[in-house]
Amino acid sequence: MSVPGIFARTEEAAGFGEEELKTCMDEFGDMVLRTAYVYLRDRQKAEDVYQEVFVRVFRHGDKIKRMDNPQGWILRVTMNLCRDLKRSTWWRRVLFLNDERDGVSGSLEDRIVASEKSRELLAHIMRLETPYRMAVLLFYYHDLSTREIAGVLKVPEGTVRSRLHRARALLKDYMNSGEESP
């Protein structure tokens, strides 16, 4: 006798099969994990959000199948889960100080310089208030247009452009001042 798991439901009831879920995870998994990490600043919590996002994708597979581009829905679910987690009492009692970065290809010197610049920029991005940080993440890291970001964040497009403008100005000030990030 097997223990029922996430795939115990029939495909007809779930609307999404195991293979479709794997495909969706391959296509959007990196985006979900990166978004959650930037929002939460903690890898383990980002992985928890990642799992919950794809459980919801599986549950709402029939809805996703009807969408032209499910990326916005998946990003919205990701950010809502992150927001809910940050609002929890547990989150307010714990301080996270994780900093992980991937290497860069090229010569050793190029990799070191690129790594330091990337680490410095990421540290400054992480300093931004959440609305600015999310606008930067969605625009620069996920290549969404301001219209798409407005749809994901459920704010007017002008607000997105304003947040991006202010975020760029803050980042420029941070980088030019030589301030150390916390």
Side-chain angles (χ1 to χ4, degrees), residues 57-114:
V57 165
F58 180 73
R59 287 183 186 151
H60 299 284
D62 54 338
K63 177 195 250 185
I64 293 171
K65 283 180 180 179
R66 293 189 303 262
M67 294 179 187
D68 291 333
N69 183 5
Q71 181 181 15
W73 184 86
I74 292 172
L75 279 170
R76 197 167 23 258
V77 169
T78 302
M79 289 190 298
N80 286 340
L81 287 169
C82 291
R83 193 174 304 121
D84 291 347
L85 184 62
K86 283 188 87 168
R87 287 180 184 158
S88 72
T89 306
W90 177 87
W91 183 269
R92 289 185 217 133
R93 293 182 187 162
V94 179
L95 177 64
F96 295 103
L97 297 172
N98 292 337
D99 185 20
E100 299 175 18
R101 290 298 295 159
D102 298 310
V104 177
S105 61
S107 72
L108 179 59
E109 184 178 318
D110 291 343
R111 286 186 300 184
I112 291 170
V113 170

Side-chain angles (χ1 to χ4, degrees), residues 16 19-29 54 57 74:
F16 232 43
E19 287 303 314
E20 291 170 309
L21 180 62
K22 284 181 183 178
T23 302
C24 189
M25 289 173 80
D26 289 342
E27 187 174 344
F28 299 112
F54 287 106
V57 165
I74 292 172

Side-chain angles (χ1 to χ4, degrees), residues 4-182:
I6 188 173
F7 300 112
R9 299 202 230 158
T10 63
E11 280 192 35
E12 298 82 35
F16 232 43
E18 186 174 349
E19 287 303 314
E20 291 170 309
L21 180 62
K22 284 181 183 178
T23 302
C24 189
M25 289 173 80
D26 289 342
E27 187 174 344
F28 299 112
D30 188 51
M31 172 190 71
V32 168
L33 192 58
R34 286 176 185 260
T35 301
Y37 178 75
V38 169
Y39 199 100
L40 298 171
R41 302 176 190 177
D42 179 73
R43 182 149 180 97
Q44 286 75 31
K45 289 298 164 195
E47 289 171 354
D48 291 345
V49 167
Y50 172 91
Q51 289 178 348
E52 181 60 28
V53 166
F54 287 106
V55 166
R56 291 185 185 193
V57 165
F58 180 73
R59 287 183 186 151
H60 299 284
D62 54 338
K63 177 195 250 185
I64 293 171
K65 283 180 180 179
R66 293 189 303 262
M67 294 179 187
D68 291 333
N69 183 5
Q71 181 181 15
W73 184 86
I74 292 172
L75 279 170
R76 197 167 23 258
V77 169
T78 302
M79 289 190 298
N80 286 340
L81 287 169
C82 291
R83 193 174 304 121
D84 291 347
L85 184 62
K86 283 188 87 168
R87 287 180 184 158
S88 72
T89 306
W90 177 87
W91 183 269
R92 289 185 217 133
R93 293 182 187 162
V94 179
L95 177 64
F96 295 103
L97 297 172
N98 292 337
D99 185 20
E100 299 175 18
R101 290 298 295 159
D102 298 310
V104 177
S105 61
S107 72
L108 179 59
E109 184 178 318
D110 291 343
R111 286 186 300 184
I112 291 170
V113 170
S115 178
E116 282 303 311
K117 285 183 180 179
S118 179
R119 183 172 291 132
E120 181 182 358
L121 179 59
L122 180 63
H124 290 308
I125 289 171
M126 297 300 256
R127 279 178 74 177
L128 296 172
E129 292 179 27
T130 301
Y132 301 132
R133 189 171 62 244
M134 294 314 299
V136 166
L137 169 75
L138 294 173
F139 189 77
Y140 290 104
Y141 289 92
H142 295 303
D143 295 322
L144 296 182
S145 69
T146 55
R147 177 173 285 149
E148 292 168 325
I149 296 169
V152 168
L153 298 177
K154 295 188 177 184
V155 296
E157 190 175 351
T159 301
V160 172
R161 286 193 294 268
S162 176
R163 288 177 183 177
L164 284 170
H165 177 76
R166 289 179 185 149
R168 287 183 200 114
L170 287 169
L171 289 171
K172 183 177 178 182
D173 288 346
Y174 291 157
M175 297 297 279
N176 288 337
S177 71
E179 272 184 57
E180 288 294 317
S181 291

